[in-house]
Amino acid sequence: MRHAEATYDNIVVGAGSAGAPLVRRLVNAGRRVLLIEAGEPVTRSGFDKIELSLRSLWRTEVDWGYDTEPQQHADGQRLHWPRGKTLGGSSAICGLVYTRGLASDYDGWAAAGCDGWDYASVVRSFVASEDFSGPRSAHRGVGGLLPVSTNQSSSPVSRAFIAAAKEWGVPEIDDYNTAEPLGASMCQHTVRDGRRMHAWEVFGKDVESEPGLTIHTGAFVTKLLFAGEKCIGVSYQVGGQERRAYADDDIVLSAGVVGSPRILLASGIGPADDLSSLGIDVRVDLPSVGANLHDHVRCSVVWSAKKPVQAVPGLVAEAHVFWRSKPALAAPDLLPLLLTIPVPVDGYPLVNQGFSCSPIVVGVHSRGRLRLRSADPAVPPAIDPAIFSDTRDLDAMVACLEMVREIGAQQAFDEWRAEEIAPGRGVRDRSQLRAYAKRVADTPHHPAGTCRMGNDPDAVVDPQLRVQGVGGLRVADVSIMPSVTSGNTNAPAIMIGERAAEFLLNSDLRQRR
């Protein structure tokens, strides 16, 4: 039975990078919105300070703490996948780097059938949310809610990295968040006055007390509710008690690359054979739910330093390079990232005084899958990004390792570089680098793709983010990406939330006319 007090215009599941701006826009438009977030608000003192080490947040109450399946092509490693579990989602525990991605990323989506997702169409959503403190440009936003600034307090070792990259042959660029960058630059961050500006802090905080918004935290969605072929509500648990809520208009899953497909699968939307084998009634046979799982892949090159490296703890990602693993590639597929700390690498000694560079492959070809292990929603799903299953990614990683080591050998680094700790002087030829990459490969925590967008029958959502085969249901988060963008995914996720609000509100206007 539907109770009036539990009925809303819209229900949004997840208060992360996409869910927070979506909720903000809906509430500002006068919609009655229920926000359901599995995590609790953070009460820990100093949580918003950039000095806070991200590693101190992993496997805590604000991290889902997932681990992947053993990676068959990466020496059987299980990778830790931190995913935010609080208001702000993964933006509350990320490295704060603001990267839109390449224009060719979005143009590629449009060419693959995602009409209206070309760069010229999405850039206005980036501009609308930004408050960029750098040089004025028609391509950058000023006066938006999200503070974005170029790293102005960079450490000397980061400036040496830029100089060394230029010695190696990479040009320096002023703003990598315009169209198609190729070169070295300081990172841009979402910080203000020494504070981490995560998505809920930026978009949600000001509307928390609005009468049109109801927030249920510590609320775990178990399944969707239907009337015929239309999704009309959600069932969720709070403190062990099952509750139900209903929406007159669309329900939006913004639960992330793991949470959104998990909810669809638990509700009978996914591969029929997999669901039937778990005893889940099949509502829509949609084999692509959970498929297309992929992530950027990274390794580490670590040096000990001749002198102390000045850095702000928690804001260690200071500079990076967009580059190509092969000159013939149309767009950059590599993004080596300078870190002002010596990253620990398994099997190598810990360094007290040093710095690192993470070779990152952003133009990844490998694809894996997320599957349910059980019909019990409390059991974490099986997560397999299948890194290096496509050998092109391993080839690109070796090329990036070679590039990073050569940059590290330039004269500009002479005053800093003491010794290469990892991979070390004993690792020289490409076969040794391949073995090193497979043994120490890790994730920069940018997974995407499990609810792929498209206009083909196998897509999970259409370009308006509507789930195929059911009414009243959309997905808005990085799980809709056909291919992950080239860089950190916080900025694109915010853009996706902005566009989802636009779709919903435009649809509402059409219905009211």
Side-chain angles (χ1 to χ4, degrees), residues 66-107:
Y66 296 118
D67 291 292
T68 70
E69 296 298 284
Q71 294 303 283
Q72 180 181 350
H73 304 279
D75 285 7
Q77 294 188 77
R78 287 184 182 270
L79 308 179
H80 174 219
W81 266 26
R83 295 287 87 199
K85 188 181 181 183
T86 185
L87 292 171
S90 294
S91 72
I93 63 169
C94 75
L96 304 175
V97 177
Y98 183 86
T99 307
R100 290 177 175 178
L102 309 177
S104 56
D105 294 334
Y106 302 102
D107 291 342

Short mmCIF file of all heavy atoms in Angstrom, two decimals, residues 66-107:
data_model
loop_
_atom_site.label_atom_id
_atom_site.label_comp_id
_atom_site.label_asym_id
_atom_site.label_seq_id
_atom_site.Cartn_x
_atom_site.Cartn_y
_atom_site.Cartn_z
N TYR A 66 35.92 -2.52 -1.20
CA TYR A 66 35.84 -3.67 -2.10
C TYR A 66 37.24 -4.18 -2.47
O TYR A 66 38.23 -3.44 -2.44
CB TYR A 66 35.13 -3.28 -3.39
CG TYR A 66 33.68 -2.89 -3.23
CD1 TYR A 66 33.25 -1.60 -3.57
CD2 TYR A 66 32.74 -3.79 -2.74
CE1 TYR A 66 31.92 -1.23 -3.44
CE2 TYR A 66 31.40 -3.42 -2.60
CZ TYR A 66 31.00 -2.14 -2.95
OH TYR A 66 29.70 -1.78 -2.81
N ASP A 67 37.29 -5.44 -2.84
CA ASP A 67 38.47 -6.05 -3.45
C ASP A 67 38.04 -6.74 -4.72
O ASP A 67 36.95 -7.33 -4.79
CB ASP A 67 39.12 -7.07 -2.51
CG ASP A 67 39.75 -6.41 -1.29
OD1 ASP A 67 40.75 -5.70 -1.47
OD2 ASP A 67 39.23 -6.61 -0.18
N THR A 68 38.90 -6.68 -5.73
CA THR A 68 38.58 -7.34 -7.00
C THR A 68 38.79 -8.84 -6.90
O THR A 68 39.41 -9.35 -5.95
CB THR A 68 39.45 -6.79 -8.14
OG1 THR A 68 40.80 -7.24 -7.94
CG2 THR A 68 39.41 -5.28 -8.20
N GLU A 69 38.32 -9.53 -7.89
CA GLU A 69 38.68 -10.92 -8.08
C GLU A 69 40.17 -10.99 -8.45
O GLU A 69 40.76 -10.00 -8.89
CB GLU A 69 37.85 -11.53 -9.22
CG GLU A 69 36.36 -11.58 -8.94
CD GLU A 69 36.03 -12.44 -7.75
OE1 GLU A 69 36.07 -13.68 -7.89
OE2 GLU A 69 35.73 -11.88 -6.67
N PRO A 70 40.83 -12.13 -8.26
CA PRO A 70 42.22 -12.25 -8.69
C PRO A 70 42.36 -11.89 -10.16
O PRO A 70 41.59 -12.36 -11.00
CB PRO A 70 42.54 -13.73 -8.44
CG PRO A 70 41.59 -14.14 -7.36
CD PRO A 70 40.33 -13.38 -7.63
N GLN A 71 43.33 -11.04 -10.46
CA GLN A 71 43.51 -10.55 -11.82
C GLN A 71 44.40 -11.52 -12.61
O GLN A 71 45.61 -11.58 -12.41
CB GLN A 71 44.08 -9.14 -11.80
CG GLN A 71 43.14 -8.12 -11.22
CD GLN A 71 41.81 -8.09 -11.96
OE1 GLN A 71 41.71 -7.54 -13.05
NE2 GLN A 71 40.77 -8.69 -11.38
N GLN A 72 43.76 -12.25 -13.49
CA GLN A 72 44.42 -13.35 -14.19
C GLN A 72 45.65 -12.89 -14.97
O GLN A 72 46.63 -13.62 -15.08
CB GLN A 72 43.41 -14.00 -15.15
CG GLN A 72 43.95 -15.16 -15.95
CD GLN A 72 42.90 -15.73 -16.88
OE1 GLN A 72 41.72 -15.39 -16.79
NE2 GLN A 72 43.33 -16.61 -17.78
N HIS A 73 45.59 -11.68 -15.51
CA HIS A 73 46.68 -11.18 -16.34
C HIS A 73 47.62 -10.25 -15.59
O HIS A 73 48.44 -9.56 -16.20
CB HIS A 73 46.10 -10.49 -17.57
CG HIS A 73 45.19 -11.36 -18.36
ND1 HIS A 73 45.63 -12.29 -19.26
CD2 HIS A 73 43.83 -11.46 -18.35
CE1 HIS A 73 44.60 -12.93 -19.81
NE2 HIS A 73 43.50 -12.44 -19.27
N ALA A 74 47.47 -10.20 -14.26
CA ALA A 74 48.32 -9.36 -13.42
C ALA A 74 48.77 -10.15 -12.21
O ALA A 74 48.63 -9.73 -11.06
CB ALA A 74 47.58 -8.09 -13.01
N ASP A 75 49.32 -11.33 -12.49
CA ASP A 75 49.91 -12.20 -11.46
C ASP A 75 48.94 -12.55 -10.34
O ASP A 75 49.34 -12.78 -9.20
CB ASP A 75 51.16 -11.54 -10.86
CG ASP A 75 52.36 -11.61 -11.79
OD1 ASP A 75 52.19 -12.05 -12.95
OD2 ASP A 75 53.47 -11.22 -11.38
N GLY A 76 47.63 -12.60 -10.66
CA GLY A 76 46.65 -13.05 -9.68
C GLY A 76 46.39 -12.07 -8.55
O GLY A 76 45.79 -12.45 -7.53
N GLN A 77 46.79 -10.81 -8.71
CA GLN A 77 46.57 -9.83 -7.65
C GLN A 77 45.08 -9.59 -7.39
O GLN A 77 44.29 -9.58 -8.32
CB GLN A 77 47.18 -8.49 -8.04
CG GLN A 77 48.66 -8.43 -8.17
CD GLN A 77 49.07 -6.98 -8.37
OE1 GLN A 77 49.11 -6.19 -7.43
NE2 GLN A 77 49.37 -6.62 -9.60
N ARG A 78 44.75 -9.35 -6.14
CA ARG A 78 43.44 -8.78 -5.78
C ARG A 78 43.68 -7.31 -5.48
O ARG A 78 44.48 -6.97 -4.61
CB ARG A 78 42.85 -9.48 -4.54
CG ARG A 78 42.34 -10.89 -4.79
CD ARG A 78 41.70 -11.42 -3.52
NE ARG A 78 41.22 -12.78 -3.67
CZ ARG A 78 39.98 -13.10 -4.08
NH1 ARG A 78 39.13 -12.13 -4.35
NH2 ARG A 78 39.62 -14.35 -4.18
N LEU A 79 42.98 -6.45 -6.20
CA LEU A 79 43.18 -5.02 -6.05
C LEU A 79 42.16 -4.43 -5.09
O LEU A 79 40.97 -4.77 -5.16
CB LEU A 79 43.07 -4.32 -7.41
CG LEU A 79 43.93 -4.87 -8.54
CD1 LEU A 79 43.68 -4.08 -9.82
CD2 LEU A 79 45.40 -4.86 -8.17
N HIS A 80 42.61 -3.57 -4.22
CA HIS A 80 41.68 -2.86 -3.34
C HIS A 80 41.01 -1.75 -4.13
O HIS A 80 41.68 -0.95 -4.79
CB HIS A 80 42.44 -2.28 -2.14
CG HIS A 80 41.58 -1.43 -1.26
ND1 HIS A 80 42.03 -0.26 -0.68
CD2 HIS A 80 40.28 -1.56 -0.87
CE1 HIS A 80 41.06 0.29 0.03
NE2 HIS A 80 39.99 -0.47 -0.07
N TRP A 81 39.68 -1.70 -4.06
CA TRP A 81 38.89 -0.68 -4.76
C TRP A 81 38.18 0.19 -3.73
O TRP A 81 37.05 -0.09 -3.35
CB TRP A 81 37.85 -1.36 -5.66
CG TRP A 81 38.30 -1.53 -7.07
CD1 TRP A 81 39.58 -1.64 -7.52
CD2 TRP A 81 37.46 -1.62 -8.22
NE1 TRP A 81 39.59 -1.80 -8.89
CE2 TRP A 81 38.30 -1.80 -9.34
CE3 TRP A 81 36.09 -1.58 -8.41
CZ2 TRP A 81 37.82 -1.92 -10.63
CZ3 TRP A 81 35.59 -1.71 -9.69
CH2 TRP A 81 36.44 -1.87 -10.80
N PRO A 82 38.81 1.26 -3.27
CA PRO A 82 38.09 2.17 -2.36
C PRO A 82 36.93 2.83 -3.11
O PRO A 82 37.10 3.33 -4.21
CB PRO A 82 39.16 3.21 -1.99
CG PRO A 82 40.46 2.61 -2.38
CD PRO A 82 40.18 1.71 -3.54
N ARG A 83 35.77 2.83 -2.49
CA ARG A 83 34.58 3.53 -3.02
C ARG A 83 33.94 4.26 -1.85
O ARG A 83 33.69 3.68 -0.79
CB ARG A 83 33.58 2.55 -3.62
CG ARG A 83 34.02 1.77 -4.85
CD ARG A 83 34.07 2.61 -6.11
NE ARG A 83 35.36 3.28 -6.27
CZ ARG A 83 35.57 4.33 -7.04
NH1 ARG A 83 34.58 4.88 -7.70
NH2 ARG A 83 36.77 4.85 -7.13
N GLY A 84 33.66 5.53 -2.03
CA GLY A 84 33.15 6.34 -0.93
C GLY A 84 31.79 5.89 -0.43
O GLY A 84 30.89 5.56 -1.21
N LYS A 85 31.63 5.90 0.87
CA LYS A 85 30.38 5.49 1.51
C LYS A 85 30.00 6.56 2.54
O LYS A 85 30.09 6.36 3.74
CB LYS A 85 30.56 4.13 2.19
CG LYS A 85 29.27 3.52 2.73
CD LYS A 85 29.56 2.18 3.40
CE LYS A 85 28.27 1.55 3.94
NZ LYS A 85 28.52 0.29 4.66
N THR A 86 29.58 7.71 2.02
CA THR A 86 29.18 8.83 2.86
C THR A 86 28.58 9.89 1.95
O THR A 86 28.59 9.73 0.72
CB THR A 86 30.38 9.42 3.63
OG1 THR A 86 29.92 10.42 4.52
CG2 THR A 86 31.43 10.01 2.69
N LEU A 87 28.05 10.94 2.51
CA LEU A 87 27.60 12.06 1.70
C LEU A 87 28.82 12.63 0.96
O LEU A 87 29.80 13.01 1.57
CB LEU A 87 26.96 13.13 2.58
CG LEU A 87 25.64 12.76 3.25
CD1 LEU A 87 25.23 13.83 4.26
CD2 LEU A 87 24.53 12.56 2.22
N GLY A 88 28.71 12.67 -0.35
CA GLY A 88 29.86 13.04 -1.18
C GLY A 88 30.43 11.86 -1.93
O GLY A 88 31.18 12.04 -2.90
N GLY A 89 30.10 10.64 -1.49
CA GLY A 89 30.55 9.45 -2.19
C GLY A 89 32.06 9.41 -2.34
O GLY A 89 32.81 9.82 -1.44
N SER A 90 32.53 8.93 -3.48
CA SER A 90 33.97 8.78 -3.69
C SER A 90 34.69 10.11 -3.79
O SER A 90 35.91 10.18 -3.60
CB SER A 90 34.23 7.94 -4.94
OG SER A 90 33.79 6.60 -4.76
N SER A 91 33.95 11.20 -4.07
CA SER A 91 34.60 12.51 -4.09
C SER A 91 35.09 12.91 -2.70
O SER A 91 35.94 13.79 -2.57
CB SER A 91 33.65 13.58 -4.64
OG SER A 91 32.62 13.89 -3.72
N ALA A 92 34.55 12.27 -1.65
CA ALA A 92 34.97 12.58 -0.28
C ALA A 92 36.27 11.88 0.10
O ALA A 92 36.87 12.22 1.12
CB ALA A 92 33.87 12.19 0.70
N ILE A 93 36.70 10.90 -0.71
CA ILE A 93 37.93 10.17 -0.37
C ILE A 93 38.87 10.11 -1.57
O ILE A 93 39.74 9.25 -1.63
CB ILE A 93 37.63 8.75 0.15
CG1 ILE A 93 36.95 7.89 -0.91
CG2 ILE A 93 36.77 8.80 1.41
CD1 ILE A 93 36.86 6.41 -0.54
N CYS A 94 38.71 11.02 -2.54
CA CYS A 94 39.54 10.98 -3.75
C CYS A 94 40.71 11.95 -3.62
O CYS A 94 40.85 12.67 -2.63
CB CYS A 94 38.70 11.30 -4.98
SG CYS A 94 38.27 13.06 -5.16
N GLY A 95 41.56 11.99 -4.66
CA GLY A 95 42.75 12.81 -4.64
C GLY A 95 42.54 14.25 -5.03
O GLY A 95 43.51 15.01 -5.12
N LEU A 96 41.29 14.67 -5.30
CA LEU A 96 40.91 16.06 -5.53
C LEU A 96 41.38 16.63 -6.87
O LEU A 96 41.24 17.82 -7.12
CB LEU A 96 41.42 16.97 -4.40
CG LEU A 96 40.99 16.58 -2.98
CD1 LEU A 96 41.66 17.48 -1.96
CD2 LEU A 96 39.48 16.67 -2.84
N VAL A 97 41.93 15.81 -7.76
CA VAL A 97 42.38 16.30 -9.06
C VAL A 97 41.17 16.49 -9.96
O VAL A 97 40.32 15.59 -10.07
CB VAL A 97 43.39 15.34 -9.70
CG1 VAL A 97 43.80 15.83 -11.09
CG2 VAL A 97 44.62 15.19 -8.81
N TYR A 98 41.11 17.63 -10.61
CA TYR A 98 39.98 17.97 -11.48
C TYR A 98 40.42 17.82 -12.94
O TYR A 98 41.24 18.59 -13.43
CB TYR A 98 39.52 19.40 -11.21
CG TYR A 98 38.30 19.82 -12.02
CD1 TYR A 98 37.02 19.54 -11.56
CD2 TYR A 98 38.45 20.48 -13.22
CE1 TYR A 98 35.91 19.92 -12.29
CE2 TYR A 98 37.33 20.87 -13.96
CZ TYR A 98 36.06 20.58 -13.49
OH TYR A 98 34.96 20.96 -14.23
N THR A 99 39.86 16.82 -13.60
CA THR A 99 40.20 16.53 -15.00
C THR A 99 38.92 16.22 -15.76
O THR A 99 38.23 15.25 -15.46
CB THR A 99 41.16 15.33 -15.12
OG1 THR A 99 42.29 15.55 -14.28
CG2 THR A 99 41.62 15.15 -16.55
N ARG A 100 38.61 17.04 -16.75
CA ARG A 100 37.39 16.82 -17.54
C ARG A 100 37.50 15.58 -18.42
O ARG A 100 36.51 14.91 -18.69
CB ARG A 100 37.15 18.01 -18.45
CG ARG A 100 36.72 19.29 -17.76
CD ARG A 100 36.58 20.39 -18.79
NE ARG A 100 36.06 21.63 -18.24
CZ ARG A 100 35.90 22.73 -18.95
NH1 ARG A 100 36.23 22.74 -20.24
NH2 ARG A 100 35.42 23.83 -18.39
N GLY A 101 38.70 15.29 -18.90
CA GLY A 101 38.86 14.29 -19.95
C GLY A 101 39.08 14.97 -21.28
O GLY A 101 39.04 16.21 -21.39
N LEU A 102 39.31 14.19 -22.31
CA LEU A 102 39.60 14.73 -23.63
C LEU A 102 38.33 14.99 -24.42
O LEU A 102 37.32 14.30 -24.24
CB LEU A 102 40.48 13.76 -24.41
CG LEU A 102 41.75 13.25 -23.73
CD1 LEU A 102 42.46 12.25 -24.62
CD2 LEU A 102 42.66 14.41 -23.37
N ALA A 103 38.39 15.96 -25.32
CA ALA A 103 37.26 16.18 -26.22
C ALA A 103 36.96 14.92 -27.02
O ALA A 103 35.79 14.58 -27.27
CB ALA A 103 37.57 17.35 -27.15
N SER A 104 38.01 14.20 -27.41
CA SER A 104 37.81 12.99 -28.21
C SER A 104 37.12 11.88 -27.41
O SER A 104 36.50 10.99 -27.99
CB SER A 104 39.16 12.48 -28.75
OG SER A 104 40.07 12.27 -27.70
N ASP A 105 37.23 11.91 -26.07
CA ASP A 105 36.48 10.94 -25.25
C ASP A 105 34.99 11.07 -25.53
O ASP A 105 34.29 10.08 -25.81
CB ASP A 105 36.72 11.18 -23.77
CG ASP A 105 38.15 10.91 -23.33
OD1 ASP A 105 38.84 10.11 -23.97
OD2 ASP A 105 38.57 11.51 -22.32
N TYR A 106 34.49 12.28 -25.45
CA TYR A 106 33.05 12.52 -25.59
C TYR A 106 32.62 12.43 -27.06
O TYR A 106 31.53 11.90 -27.34
CB TYR A 106 32.70 13.88 -24.99
CG TYR A 106 33.10 13.96 -23.53
CD1 TYR A 106 34.25 14.64 -23.14
CD2 TYR A 106 32.35 13.32 -22.55
CE1 TYR A 106 34.63 14.69 -21.80
CE2 TYR A 106 32.72 13.37 -21.21
CZ TYR A 106 33.87 14.05 -20.85
OH TYR A 106 34.25 14.09 -19.53
N ASP A 107 33.46 12.90 -27.95
CA ASP A 107 33.13 12.75 -29.37
C ASP A 107 33.06 11.28 -29.75
O ASP A 107 32.25 10.88 -30.59
CB ASP A 107 34.15 13.49 -30.23
CG ASP A 107 34.07 15.00 -30.10
OD1 ASP A 107 33.02 15.49 -29.61
OD2 ASP A 107 35.04 15.69 -30.46
#
